[in-house]
Amino acid sequence: MDVMEAVLTRRSATRLVPPAPDDAALLELIQAASAAPDHGLLRPWRLVLVRDAQRELLGAALAETATGAGAAERARAKPLRAPLLVSIVFCPRPDHPRVPVWEQLAATVSVVQNLHLLLHSRGWGAIWRTGGAVDAPAVRRCVGVGAGEQLLGWLYVGTPGNGPGGAPRSGFDARTKVRTLGAAA
């Protein structure tokens, strides 16, 4: 699959089943994804893999943060939606003399987008999930998020299930978002 096809056909896969890429295959894709733009080559990110029974540990941490009837059990089940969760940890260097934090965040997001495209190009499904629990102390402890770091959510990864594919993209005219400097608006 070429890059244009990967970009145009990638969708968030909401139903993921085993298998997921093994560590060696995933590491190869992460290595390639890390070629994303990164001013200063700071690599202000790290990834924490959650597989197998580790998903239940994360589910228990998520359940600790839940409030309301039945919310704990729903939260506990969330990590079981995919065979692999890639925790995305942003590790900014706020005092860097040349690279502001927003550029470091952009570099991190670029790596995740590259990884998502690479997974898709190899036939894997993925969806980036977040939520309020990313800031919960129990979840941060479980994932190992340190002071000064931010959990940006999880890339759920697996084999696309037999459900409907991602929603079709609505018609969009890029000309509505592009202008030439000095041209009439």
Side-chain angles (χ1 to χ4, degrees):
M1 171 179 314
D2 73 4
V3 175
M4 182 67 82
E5 183 181 357
V7 169
L8 292 175
T9 61
R10 187 219 53 85
R11 298 290 182 274
S12 294
T14 57
R15 182 156 159 35
L16 296 162
V17 298
D22 63 23
D23 287 347
L26 187 62
L27 192 58
E28 175 189 13
L29 298 179
I30 292 167
Q31 186 72 47
S34 69
D38 183 354
H39 184 189
L41 297 175
L42 300 180
R43 293 185 178 85
W45 52 270
R46 60 189 183 83
L47 306 174
V48 179
L49 307 183
V50 182
R51 296 183 185 273
D52 306 319
Q54 300 160 343
R55 296 175 306 151
E56 293 173 16
L57 294 174
L58 178 57
L62 289 168
E64 282 186 46
T65 71
T67 57
E73 287 313 307
R74 285 191 303 276
R76 185 179 309 281
K78 286 181 179 183
L80 304 178
R81 295 180 187 171
L84 169 64
L85 282 70
V86 179
S87 310
I88 305 154
V89 182
F90 177 45
C91 314
R93 293 178 44 195
D95 297 328
H96 195 278
R98 293 178 299 127
V99 185
V101 170
W102 75 263
E103 282 190 38
Q104 296 175 48
L105 179 59
T108 302
V109 171
S110 295
V111 166
V112 176
Q113 176 64 6
N114 277 359
L115 181 57
H116 201 161
L117 286 169
L118 288 164
L119 285 161
H120 171 61
S121 76
R122 297 279 175 93
W124 301 108
I127 184 170
W128 191 344
R129 294 188 181 273
T130 61
V134 296
D135 294 323
V139 173
R140 289 175 58 87
R141 274 191 308 277
C142 179
V143 175
V145 179
E149 295 182 328
Q150 184 179 0
L151 180 58
L152 300 180
W154 298 269
L155 197 61
Y156 283 53
V157 181
T159 300
N162 288 337
R169 299 285 184 215
S170 61
F172 169 73
D173 184 352
R175 293 174 293 190
T176 64
K177 293 291 186 178
V178 179
R179 73 176 183 90
T180 300
L181 185 64

